[in-house]
């Protein structure tokens, strides 16, 4: 896209292009790639739903079907939040490039650069973590074949499958095509999750860098109020008054610029919140239910260690996913409220009256921190993350009583 986006968000560009979600991609790719991905996700979700409707017995026995269907729905939500909101994402990226042209002070550029690098590292770390857990999950079906090579028996071990669904043909005859299909579907679904979440984290990280840059400038704004002592003779009073007035005017002009930059930051956060509010609300609901069902599966499979490990890895991934939804919201809250403390800690009592009046406007706005919400009814924060974890355990306890 633009220079700053190309430099700092190249990884996000590569990943989002795989979904057909990068704003500058051709219209053909924006239609083709989501269609192919939708087909892969649907192929497993539909078969699991059919099996669930045909073999309905109890919550415990059909827990795996519920989990797969819910993960499929989550995959669709993640895919289409990128595809259907392509214009909003393009606008956010344009704002990012505009911010890099407006925030030109040395301190601002340095802070934004550092935050962009941290955001890139966070995206890479998250992708590695999720794909590692996915590999652990996908390793279970091939363990019998590996054991047949390492510790052979007089007879072959039974086949295991990634998804227990009915393909309407003999799965053992077509074992490897079935396994390949399940692997491709899992990789595609997890890739959708990784791409969406890393984009979300990177966009939020940029908002944090804006608030951090503004706060740092405010903290150093009045450094010119108290000039260093010199050994020069005492100057005329009129000369001192003119210099003092000149310094006040300079501080006032810089504060006006910072207020405008703060307004740009608030505008960016509002657009970011409107883009992800429905996405966060639906994903929070799905993640809580999936986590509760995974807890039931883990308890039910305590004597089957291999199967239990698979669901433990899924449960860890669900907790990480819930954390990734909540932690960026907490960072925006912390950084936006930190602007208030930085502005209050400056030497405002040594500035002119018009400067303090202008500063009071900024302080008043910063009293209420910026937030990311889920459906405008739930604030994404670490305190609420702990509450959601507690709710997941409560739902799991309630659902396990039906076993």
């Amino acid at each position: 896209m633009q220079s700053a986006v190309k430099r700092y968000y190249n990884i996000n560009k590569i990943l989002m292009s795989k979904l057909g979600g990068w704003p500058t991609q051709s219209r053909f790719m924006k239609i083709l790639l989501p269609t192919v991905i939708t087909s892969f996700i649907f192929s497993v979700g539909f078969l699991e739903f059919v099996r669930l409707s045909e073999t309905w017995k109890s919550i415990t026995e059909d827990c795996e079907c519920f989990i797969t269907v819910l993960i499929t729905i989550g995959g669709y939500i993640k895919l289409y939040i990128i595809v259907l909101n392509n214009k909003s994402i393009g606008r956010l990226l344009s704002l990012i490039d505009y911010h890099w042209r407006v925030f030109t002070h040395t301190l601002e550029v340095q802070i934004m650069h550092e935050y962009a690098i941290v955001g890139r590292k966070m995206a890479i770390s998250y992708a590695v973590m999720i794909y590692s857990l996915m590999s652990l999950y996908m390793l279970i079906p091939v363990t019998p074949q590996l054991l047949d090579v390492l510790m052979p028996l007089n007879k072959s071990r039974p086949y295991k499958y990634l998804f227990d669904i009915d393909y309407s043909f003999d799965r053992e005859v077509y074992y490897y095509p079935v396994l390949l299909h399940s692997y491709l579907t899992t990789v595609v679904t997890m890739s959708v999750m990784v791409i969406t979440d890393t984009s979300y984290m990177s966009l939020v990280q940029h908002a944090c860098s804006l608030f951090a840059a503004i706060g740092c400038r405010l903290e150093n704004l009045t450094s010119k109020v108290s000039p260093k002592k010199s050994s020069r003779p005492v100057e005329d009073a009129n000369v001192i008054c003119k210099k003092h007035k000149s310094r006040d005017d300079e501080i006032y002009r810089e504060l006006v610029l910072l207020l405008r930059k703060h307004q740009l930051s608030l505008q960016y956060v509002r657009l970011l919140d409107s883009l992800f509010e429905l996405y966060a609300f639906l994903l929070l609901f799905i993640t809580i239910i999936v986590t509760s069902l995974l807890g039931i599966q883990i308890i039910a499979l305590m004597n089957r260690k291999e199967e239990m490990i698979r669901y433990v890895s899924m449960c860890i991934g669900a907790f990480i996913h819930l954390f990734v939804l909540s932690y960026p919201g907490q960072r925006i809250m912390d950084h936006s409220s930190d602007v208030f403390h930085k502005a209050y800690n400056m030497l405002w009592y040594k500035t002119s009256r018009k400067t303090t009046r202008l500063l009071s406007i900024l302080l008043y706005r910063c009293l209420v921190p910026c937030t990311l919400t889920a459906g405008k009814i739930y604030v994404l924060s670490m305190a609420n993350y702990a509450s959601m974890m507690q709710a997941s355990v409560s739902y799991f306890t309630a659902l396990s009583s039906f076993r």
Side-chain angles (χ1 to χ4, degrees), residues 269-325:
V269 173
R270 282 194 294 267
L271 181 59
L272 186 63
D273 182 43
S274 64
L275 174 62
F276 286 102
E277 60 181 0
L278 180 60
Y279 158 84
F281 178 77
L282 296 175
L283 264 295
L284 280 173
F285 177 77
I286 291 174
T287 304
I288 289 174
I289 302 301
V290 168
T291 305
S292 303
L293 295 175
L294 286 171
I296 294 175
Q297 286 293 88
I298 291 171
I299 289 181
L301 299 171
M302 290 294 289
N303 296 327
R304 298 161 60 182
K305 302 298 183 183
E306 293 180 355
E307 293 290 326
M308 188 187 71
I309 291 174
R310 181 169 66 173
Y311 288 104
V312 167
S313 65
M314 292 178 66
C315 192
I316 294 172
F319 287 144
I320 293 173
H321 180 255
L322 191 59
F323 177 82
V324 166
L325 285 175

Side-chain angles (χ1 to χ4, degrees), residues 49-67:
F49 183 78
V50 171
R51 175 176 176 269
L52 178 64
S53 61
E54 291 178 350
T55 62
W56 181 273
K57 293 181 180 179
S58 66
I59 292 181
T60 305
E61 294 179 6
D62 293 318
C63 209
E64 182 177 354
C65 293
F66 274 111
I67 292 171

Side-chain angles (χ1 to χ4, degrees), residues 196-399:
T196 309
D197 290 347
T198 51
S199 302
Y200 170 66
M201 288 189 293
S202 298
L203 293 173
V204 171
Q205 185 72 3
H206 176 72
C208 295
S209 71
L210 299 181
F211 289 122
I214 293 169
C216 186
R217 287 291 310 282
L218 285 170
E219 202 171 30
N220 295 277
L221 188 61
T222 53
S223 59
K224 298 178 181 180
V225 173
S226 301
K228 294 181 180 180
K229 294 181 179 179
S230 63
S231 57
R232 292 179 299 176
V234 178
E235 295 177 323
D236 184 78
N238 291 329
V239 175
I240 295 175
C241 183
K242 288 179 181 179
K243 288 186 176 181
H244 181 72
K245 185 176 181 180
S246 175
R247 285 195 296 269
D248 282 340
D249 290 340
E250 183 180 352
I251 292 172
Y252 180 80
R253 287 194 298 269
E254 290 187 9
L255 185 58
V256 169
L257 289 175
L258 289 176
L259 277 171
R260 291 176 179 173
K261 291 177 181 180
H262 189 254
Q263 289 297 319
L264 288 175
S265 305
L266 296 179
Q267 176 193 4
Y268 178 83
V269 173
R270 282 194 294 267
L271 181 59
L272 186 63
D273 182 43
S274 64
L275 174 62
F276 286 102
E277 60 181 0
L278 180 60
Y279 158 84
F281 178 77
L282 296 175
L283 264 295
L284 280 173
F285 177 77
I286 291 174
T287 304
I288 289 174
I289 302 301
V290 168
T291 305
S292 303
L293 295 175
L294 286 171
I296 294 175
Q297 286 293 88
I298 291 171
I299 289 181
L301 299 171
M302 290 294 289
N303 296 327
R304 298 161 60 182
K305 302 298 183 183
E306 293 180 355
E307 293 290 326
M308 188 187 71
I309 291 174
R310 181 169 66 173
Y311 288 104
V312 167
S313 65
M314 292 178 66
C315 192
I316 294 172
F319 287 144
I320 293 173
H321 180 255
L322 191 59
F323 177 82
V324 166
L325 285 175
S326 303
Y327 182 65
Q330 182 66 51
R331 282 180 60 80
I332 280 191
M333 288 178 63
D334 294 340
H335 281 76
S336 60
S337 61
D338 194 47
V339 175
F340 174 87
H341 301 293
K342 294 291 180 65
Y344 187 79
N345 287 335
M346 62 182 282
L347 302 177
W348 53 267
Y349 47 85
K350 292 187 178 181
T351 60
S352 63
R353 188 171 181 82
K354 64 177 182 178
T355 302
T356 55
R357 282 200 299 265
L358 189 61
L359 185 62
S360 64
I361 298 175
L362 177 63
L363 291 171
Y364 182 76
R365 175 57 188 87
C366 294
L367 276 173
V368 180
C370 296
T371 57
L372 295 179
T373 61
K376 294 190 182 299
I377 58 176
Y378 175 91
V379 177
L380 298 172
S381 65
M382 293 308 296
N384 287 334
Y385 169 72
S387 300
M388 297 299 280
M389 295 285 287
Q390 185 178 3
S392 299
V393 175
S394 300
Y395 295 147
F396 152 66
T397 305
L399 290 172

